[in-house]
Amino acid sequence: MDFLEQLNESQRAAVTCTEGASLVVAGAGSGKTRVLTYRIAYLLQQGVPASRIMALTFTNKAAREMKERIQKLVGEDARYLMMGTFHSICTKLIRPYAELIGYTRDFTIYDTPDMKSVIKAICKERGLDEKIYKAGAVQSRISMAKNCGITPDEYGRNQQLLREDREMRMYELATIFALYESRLKAANAMDFDDLLINMLRLMDVSPEVRERYQQQFQYILVDEYQDTNYIQFLLVKRLAEPQNNICVVGDDAQSIYSFRGADIRNILNFQRQYPGAKLFKLERNYRSTQTIVNAANSLIHKNINQIEKTVYSEKEAGVPLNLQPYMDDRTEALGVATKIQKMRHKGYDAFAVLYRTNAQSRVIEGELRKLNIPYRIYGGTSFYQRKEIKDALGYLRLAVNPRDNEALLRIVGFPGRGIGDTTMKRVSANAIEHHRCYLDVMRNPEETGLDVGPAVIKKIRAFAIYMDGLREQSETMDAFAFTEMVLRTSGVQTALALDRSQEGIDRAQNVQELLNAIREFVEQRANEGIDYTPITDFLSEVSLQTDQDENLEDTTERVTLMTVHAAKGLEFPVVFIVGMEENLFPSQFAVKPHEIEEERRLLYVAVTRAMEQCYLSFARQRFRNGSVTFASPSRFLNDIDRQYFELSRPVVTQRPITPNIPISTGISAAPKTPVSGATSAIASSEWKAGDRVAHRVFGKGTINRVYRDEVTENDKIEINFDTQGTKTLLLTHAKLDRI
């Protein structure tokens, strides 16, 4: 079968140009995954050994699906591809040479909860206020530094970072960073960021290893290149040298993860980094109607920093986008739920409700429940993040890596064995003082002078002996048999079985499902010709699960609720985008031009999730942060060409509202065209630039200009107040007196 016949002209050109550097800019719904998949299949068909190809993705799910597609095209050769996430591939490449960078081969991988646990412990030891030094904020700050290639020493000398820390009142962040790094190293552990950084370190300290990997991987392909950070950019660049047979695929218009360290400059500057690189543009959208595609184009073309392209669709024109004003957020939620109910003949799986922040889901959930509409929140707690699963995995982690202090702290009290928090605090302090891991102190408490009684010494030594026994068995038993034995002998299964509440039954079933997952993992490896699968392989697989790997597999039809960030890569026949208001979408935290551009890209992603119908809505008042706040429609609504809109009549709430309250947006959210011959009586007959007015809150001022908003029908007036600066007010609420 000539699979190239299944590609359009642009896709075929991108697939068959295999030598040198290539940038494939893939518009929304243009078949990006197909191009990446077929390019790998084409390389294999041309005789390139699978072992010479590396494909880097951002989710394990994407890697699995691509590998399955390639196998269907070219057969079993695809099994030997080095394909996976940056983190999973770096793990595989580092393990054989871990000793060269100061680790053992069985190093542990710390996920986000583990990282936060270490940070909390450090902050507690130093007596820091946990309300200021929140573990999530500290972890995010450390991760940001690592993604930028900044070491703890460099962090402590960087005046800009230190100034930012002072503004957040986190004066000791540099010290926490240094202690965090030393704790991980002492525990023979790496966090996700370390996997990438240490891969670079490995290639720096060992030119032999670097050359071996560069020669092995002759062709490198990267998916979602717009989401790469600085370290990932360096990693790919280093691995691709010197032949630079590198192909990156992505869409700068869908770069929305700067808060995770993604740097849009990587894709924008690709041709500068690789002179002579070929550029391929995939501009045909196979997902959405012409109207949706054209509307999205009119929006994203307002951005300055982008690779110019014009996405088009050859599907039917379709219906206009619907814009619905509501008086408040509850009415908005009810309106969305009612529309879904009226269209339920499409099947509930056809609908997605997208919002900018998670907090917006509460009121939407309430209205869906009232109408008995089933729904799911995409991106909830994943299986491997559940407490009972983390507990079970803690035993496995500590068994293979005795220095994993975080795993020990998690499991030592479950099931109960008479070792309490006070004991573990003394063990922790003693271990830090003597530069030992916790299990080592528990194994030989007399050597370090641990201050506990004889009964406690007996208990902690028994636990250490038990874990040492597991360590020995982990080296000879396969993953499934070992896990089954651990759950039985540790008492975990018995403890869960004793709890006959529904929650207890669910927890026991989840642990059983963990066993099923390990069995399937071992069987899958056996089918690939791997006779023996140690538990370390499964632990690596689990640790590298990402939040994007959540899926929508569910036997029940449900409406999907999610943030726009979580929606990337998905598609639905009908999409509702709610909360299109200033300081919500765009976010109140987006102030700088590049931040506003990313917010606009985020809306582009939201609109292009829709296949057939797209509904946008905003509320004039919204319950936020414990009180009702008045809102102004998002400036982005005016970036979408009005010919693609159908404006619905405002829906009036039954809840009373307070009239004549000024709405200030801080920065003008108004359309670009000043009013001339306005339809509003107020705008056309009463006010004009230069008029002096008085406002009961902001005082006296001079009108700069008056705007007519044809999309939202909310005329606005911009006034330069004598003492309060420039404000943009809604004319329907701004009660002004002429001076």
Side-chain angles (χ1 to χ4, degrees):
M1 176 187 73
D2 186 2
F3 51 77
L4 294 180
E5 294 179 0
Q6 301 173 25
L7 305 172
N8 65 36
E9 186 177 344
S10 298
Q11 292 172 332
R12 192 179 303 113
V15 163
T16 56
C17 182
T18 59
E19 304 305 305
S22 298
L23 169 60
V24 181
V25 180
S30 63
K32 166 184 68 69
T33 303
R34 167 169 285 208
V35 165
L36 205 54
T37 301
Y38 279 46
R39 186 180 175 100
I40 295 170
Y42 182 75
L43 285 168
L44 294 172
Q45 191 184 63
Q46 297 303 301
V48 176
S51 60
R52 297 291 189 190
I53 301 171
M54 174 188 289
L56 294 156
T57 66
F58 272 81
T59 69
N60 297 300
K61 182 171 179 251
R64 285 194 302 269
E65 290 177 351
M66 284 174 56
K67 192 176 256 190
E68 289 169 3
R69 291 190 193 185
I70 296 167
Q71 282 181 315
K72 289 178 182 177
L73 292 172
V74 298
E76 292 302 299
D77 283 351
R79 288 192 332 186
Y80 305 104
L81 288 167
M82 180 65 80
M83 177 179 286
T85 64
F86 277 87
H87 301 98
S88 64
I89 285 181
C90 284
T91 302
K92 292 174 184 175
L93 299 183
I94 289 172
R95 282 206 189 274
Y97 305 102
E99 289 85 355
L100 295 176
I101 52 174
Y103 294 83
T104 66
R105 295 189 181 193
D106 55 6
F107 62 82
T108 298
I109 301 169
Y110 276 16
D111 61 11
T112 301
D114 294 325
M115 296 159 66
K116 289 181 179 178
S117 180
V118 174
I119 290 167
K120 284 180 182 177
I122 292 171
C123 293
K124 195 168 186 179
E125 290 162 15
R126 298 187 65 79
L128 302 175
D129 188 342
E130 62 181 16
K131 293 180 181 178
I132 296 176
Y133 291 89
K134 294 178 180 177
V138 175
Q139 182 265 326
S140 176
R141 197 85 176 136
I142 291 173
S143 182
M144 174 276 298
K146 288 187 175 186
N147 286 334
C148 295
I150 299 172
T151 66
D153 286 343
E154 291 168 339
Y155 192 105
R157 296 193 300 269
N158 189 305
Q159 294 305 311
Q160 179 180 339
L161 294 175
L162 295 177
R163 184 169 58 253
E164 292 170 357
D165 291 344
R166 286 195 297 272
E167 290 172 357
M168 295 184 289
R169 295 192 298 158
M170 293 197 289
Y171 306 102
E172 292 202 43
L173 216 151
T175 303
I176 295 171
F177 187 7
L179 288 171
Y180 170 81
E181 290 290 86
S182 65
R183 296 282 171 89
L184 259 65
K185 191 65 184 294
N188 190 36
M190 300 184 198
D191 62 24
F192 273 28
D193 298 319
D194 289 332
L195 292 171
L196 309 185
I197 293 168
N198 284 330
M199 184 65 217
L200 282 170
R201 280 187 58 218
L202 176 60
M203 289 191 286
D204 284 340
V205 302
S206 175
E208 295 81 6
V209 172
R210 182 180 69 241
E211 290 172 14
R212 183 175 297 125
Y213 283 146
Q214 287 173 341
Q215 290 172 11
Q216 178 179 346
F217 301 113
Q218 296 291 311
Y219 295 88
I220 295 178
L221 302 94
V222 187
D223 191 15
E224 305 286 9
Y225 193 66
Q226 77 280 349
D227 294 335
T228 54
N229 60 36
Y230 176 66
I231 295 297
Q232 288 165 331
F233 158 75
L234 289 179
L235 190 59
V236 169
K237 192 172 187 299
R238 190 77 51 83
L239 284 168
E241 294 170 344
Q243 63 270 17
N244 287 332
N245 287 330
I246 176 175
C247 174
V248 302
V249 182
D251 183 7
D252 58 293
Q254 298 185 67
S255 179
I256 59 174
Y257 294 124
S258 65
F259 65 95
R260 293 180 182 170
D263 191 340
I264 192 174
R265 292 175 297 183
N266 289 349
I267 191 168
L268 294 179
N269 297 335
F270 182 84
Q271 290 176 284
R272 198 174 305 160
Q273 293 291 340
Y274 295 90
K278 298 177 179 64
L279 173 64
F280 302 93
K281 296 181 181 180
L282 307 184
E283 297 175 300
R284 180 177 176 183
N285 180 297
Y286 290 89
R287 173 189 300 149
S288 307
T289 64
Q290 292 178 29
T291 300
I292 291 172
V293 169
N294 291 341
N297 282 344
S298 70
L299 169 72
I300 201 63
H301 283 167
K302 302 298 189 300
N303 272 8
I304 296 172
N305 296 305
Q306 61 176 303
I307 299 172
E308 285 295 334
K309 62 181 178 300
T310 302
V311 180
Y312 67 94
S313 170
E314 292 185 356
K315 297 182 75 172
E316 69 281 0
V319 298
L321 281 69
N322 181 274
L323 178 60
Q324 177 70 67
Y326 292 96
M327 292 309 296
D328 62 17
D329 51 344
R330 187 196 63 79
T331 314
E332 180 185 49
L334 176 59
V336 170
T338 303
K339 283 188 173 75
I340 291 173
Q341 188 180 52
K342 288 179 179 177
M343 295 188 287
R344 62 183 180 275
H345 60 275
K346 292 178 175 286
Y348 288 126
D349 281 347
F351 303 99
V353 183
L354 309 183
Y355 35 78
R356 180 64 182 83
T357 65
N358 279 306
Q360 292 170 255
S361 75
R362 180 189 63 82
V363 66
I364 297 169
E365 290 182 67
E367 297 304 326
L368 291 175
R369 283 196 297 268
K370 288 177 186 176
L371 295 180
N372 294 317
I373 296 174
Y375 67 90
R376 66 167 70 85
I377 296 182
Y378 184 71
T381 303
S382 69
F383 179 79
Y384 290 106
Q385 293 300 323
R386 299 182 186 205
K387 181 183 183 302
E388 61 273 16
I389 301 302
K390 296 280 283 184
D391 289 343
L393 292 174
Y395 276 95
L396 306 180
R397 284 171 44 178
L398 188 60
V400 301
N401 180 8
R403 291 156 62 185
D404 190 340
N405 294 334
E406 291 306 308
L408 188 151
L409 291 175
R410 170 172 282 279
I411 68 173
V412 72
F414 179 75
R417 47 177 58 88
I419 304 174
D421 288 344
T422 301
T423 298
M424 290 313 301
K425 286 177 183 176
R426 291 180 179 178
V427 168
S428 172
N430 188 278
I432 293 170
E433 179 184 350
H434 292 87
H435 306 289
R436 295 194 177 191
C437 67
Y438 296 175
L439 195 64
D440 197 14
V441 170
M442 297 170 79
R443 188 184 296 115
N444 304 294
E446 294 91 346
E447 284 186 14
T448 58
L450 181 65
D451 184 21
V452 295
V456 174
I457 286 179
K458 184 177 180 181
K459 291 173 183 176
I460 62 176
R461 181 176 281 133
F463 176 77
I465 291 171
Y466 170 70
M467 293 308 306
D468 288 342
L470 293 185
R471 166 74 171 174
E472 294 178 6
Q473 290 169 296
S474 72
E475 296 172 350
T476 58
M477 300 174 71
D478 77 60
F480 175 75
F482 177 70
T483 305
E484 194 176 40
M485 181 271 296
V486 170
L487 294 176
R488 184 180 67 254
T489 60
S490 65
V492 168
Q493 282 183 328
T494 302
L496 292 173
L498 291 174
D499 185 354
R500 300 311 299 163
S501 67
Q502 185 57 53
E503 292 79 8
I505 292 170
D506 290 343
R507 285 192 287 267
Q509 290 175 342
N510 287 336
V511 170
Q512 183 58 47
E513 189 59 31
L514 173 64
L515 272 174
N516 293 341
I518 296 175
R519 180 194 290 116
E520 291 173 5
F521 181 75
V522 172
E523 290 174 353
Q524 178 186 346
R525 302 262 292 183
N527 292 336
E528 295 175 356
I530 301 172
D531 296 328
Y532 170 67
T533 299
I535 192 60
T536 50
D537 287 6
F538 179 77
L539 290 174
S540 289
E541 182 85 357
V542 170
S543 297
L544 295 163
Q545 296 289 327
T546 66
D547 56 354
Q548 296 102 322
D549 287 322
E550 296 287 342
N551 59 60
L552 298 178
E553 293 174 6
D554 194 323
T555 56
T556 307
E557 281 195 357
R558 300 175 187 271
V559 175
T560 300
L561 275 59
M562 68 178 92
T563 64
V564 183
H565 280 105
K568 187 169 174 292
L570 304 176
E571 60 184 33
F572 301 88
V574 184
V575 169
F576 293 86
I577 307 170
V578 299
M580 290 302 307
E581 298 139 33
E582 280 297 306
N583 297 323
L584 185 56
F585 204 163
S587 165
Q588 61 183 317
F589 303 110
V591 177
K592 299 176 182 176
H594 72 272
E595 294 168 338
I596 293 297
E597 290 209 346
E598 176 156 336
E599 291 286 307
R600 190 177 284 112
R601 293 195 295 268
L602 191 58
L603 180 56
Y604 175 82
V605 167
V607 171
T608 55
R609 299 312 93 198
M611 301 165 69
E612 301 168 6
Q613 293 172 268
C614 182
Y615 293 83
L616 297 96
S617 59
F618 62 89
R620 291 195 171 99
Q621 58 182 18
R622 181 172 297 276
F623 195 82
R624 295 182 71 186
N625 302 320
S627 62
V628 173
T629 59
F630 289 90
S632 179
S634 170
R635 73 189 76 182
F636 294 154
L637 294 174
N638 296 288
D639 289 341
I640 300 175
D641 196 312
R642 291 161 190 174
Q643 66 176 304
Y644 305 120
F645 268 131
E646 171 190 40
L647 182 66
S648 296
R649 293 175 62 83
V651 176
V652 180
T653 179
Q654 297 302 310
R655 190 163 64 200
I657 64 170
T658 305
N660 300 325
I661 302 291
I663 302 177
S664 172
T665 64
I667 45 180
S668 175
K672 308 297 187 293
T673 309
V675 168
S676 57
T679 56
S680 164
I682 297 175
S684 61
S685 63
E686 290 194 20
W687 308 118
K688 64 181 184 298
D691 285 352
R692 289 284 290 170
V693 296
H695 186 275
R696 62 190 180 89
V697 174
F698 301 124
K700 297 178 181 179
T702 303
I703 295 175
N704 288 342
R705 45 191 163 176
V706 183
Y707 293 102
R708 179 175 66 245
D709 191 329
E710 296 175 2
V711 175
T712 63
E713 298 182 347
N714 283 329
D715 291 351
K716 299 182 180 73
I717 186 166
E718 182 184 285
I719 303 171
N720 183 16
F721 289 101
D722 297 348
T723 60
Q724 301 294 319
T726 301
K727 306 287 183 185
T728 301
L729 310 177
L730 287 180
L731 271 172
T732 53
H733 293 293
K735 200 166 186 177
L736 301 172
D737 294 321
R738 192 184 304 276
I739 300 176

